[in-house]
């Protein structure tokens, strides 16, 4: 299997599990595998065997056709990729109201999974709680004004400014501007503990 298909499978499992509010332990119990194995699969550190993958997919209450819809191999012969706006895929990352994500591109780059996402924050959008991700995060503010709370410190970003941080730190984001905000987000996933 190609790295990018493995990356897509890993993130599909994680996205669906989170969307259905299933913990890693619950999924592991349902699929008859260890919590550590689910974590390794979701973070692209191991490739599941076909029987394990089938158990995970069925434990998420999906059929294989539904799970693999839109997962296709990337053409590794290409050295330049043009991604058209209508090729961006809606992405459900969290339940916070007013946070609209679109995946631009997910790739393995030098052995590490990277996810390029466009985030639109509706006017007044804010999270109710701190979040963490297993990634280094780079955010470039294309439009608007946002407030990033990382640990105990606030960072105000305006158009053209950016921020880079370890997503394992508790963080929260609010649109504090007078209009919708748009950010380019790059997640470089951490593949070791």
């Amino acid at each position: 299997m190609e790295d990018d298909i493995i990356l897509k499978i890993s993130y599909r499992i994680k996205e669906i599990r989170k969307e259905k509010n299933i913990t890693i332990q619950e999924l592991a119990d349902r699929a008859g595998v260890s919590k550590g194995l689910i974590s390794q699969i979701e973070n692209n550190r191991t490739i599941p065997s076909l029987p394990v993958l089938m158990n995970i997919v069925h434990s998420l209450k999906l059929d294989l056709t539904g799970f693999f819809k839109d997962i296709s191999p990337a053409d590794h012969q290409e050295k330049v990729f043009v991604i058209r706006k209508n090729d961006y895929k809606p992405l459900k990352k969290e339940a916070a109201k007013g946070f609209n994500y679109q995946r631009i591109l997910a790739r393995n780059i030098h052995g590490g999974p990277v996810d390029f996402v466009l985030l639109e924050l509706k006017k007044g959008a804010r999270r109710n709680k701190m979040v963490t991700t297993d990634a280094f995060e780079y955010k470039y503010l294309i439009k608007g004004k946002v407030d990033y709370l990382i640990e105990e410190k606030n960072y105000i970003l305006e158009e053209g400014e950016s921020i880079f941080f370890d997503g394992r730190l508790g963080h929260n984001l609010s649109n504090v501007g007078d209009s919708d905000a748009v950010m380019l987000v790059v997640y470089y996933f951490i593949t070791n503990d």
Side-chain angles (χ1 to χ4, degrees), residues 17 22-31 38 56 59-60:
R17 178 184 61 75
I22 299 170
T23 66
I24 292 175
Q25 186 63 61
E26 288 170 334
L27 181 57
D29 291 345
R30 290 180 189 178
I38 297 291
I56 291 169
S59 297
L60 291 169

Side-chain angles (χ1 to χ4, degrees), residues 10 35 44 93 102 134 164:
S10 298
K35 178 180 175 182
N44 201 36
K93 283 187 71 70
Q102 288 186 305
D134 292 328
F164 177 79

Side-chain angles (χ1 to χ4, degrees), residues 24 53 68 77 81 85 102 126 149 155 158 172:
I24 292 175
L53 179 59
F68 283 103
Q77 303 304 316
F81 295 89
K85 183 177 180 181
Q102 288 186 305
R126 66 184 65 243
L149 174 63
Y155 302 88
E158 297 191 18
N172 202 339

Side-chain angles (χ1 to χ4, degrees), residues 53-172:
L53 179 59
M54 290 175 65
N55 284 344
I56 291 169
V57 170
H58 291 301
S59 297
L60 291 169
K61 307 238 186 281
L62 296 170
D63 63 25
L64 290 174
T65 304
F67 180 81
F68 283 103
K69 184 181 176 214
D70 299 329
I71 293 180
S72 60
D75 183 356
H76 282 290
Q77 303 304 316
E78 294 293 325
K79 298 203 186 293
V80 176
F81 295 89
V82 175
I83 301 103
R84 305 289 179 203
K85 183 177 180 181
N86 50 342
D87 292 333
Y88 298 177
K89 305 270 188 250
L91 176 65
K92 181 154 175 72
K93 283 187 71 70
E94 60 184 292
K97 188 176 178 180
F99 283 61
N100 300 319
Y101 293 87
Q102 288 186 305
R103 174 169 285 135
I104 298 169
L105 179 68
R107 306 278 304 163
N108 262 332
I109 299 176
H110 295 289
V114 180
D115 205 0
F116 298 86
V117 174
L118 198 59
L119 169 58
E120 178 188 28
L121 292 162
K122 295 294 185 184
K123 181 179 176 183
R126 66 184 65 243
R127 287 190 187 112
N128 293 326
K129 61 180 182 172
M130 300 287 268
V131 297
T132 61
T133 56
D134 292 328
F136 289 101
E137 298 188 24
Y138 173 77
K139 315 276 178 109
Y140 174 80
L141 190 59
I142 297 167
K143 174 185 165 193
K145 182 177 180 180
V146 298
D147 177 17
Y148 245 105
L149 174 63
I150 301 175
E151 300 274 271
E152 301 290 323
K153 189 168 180 183
N154 288 81
Y155 302 88
I156 301 292
L157 297 178
E158 297 191 18
E159 284 182 27
E161 297 179 337
S162 58
I163 191 167
F164 177 79
F165 61 94
D166 184 336
R168 294 173 293 186
L169 300 173
H171 56 278
N172 202 339

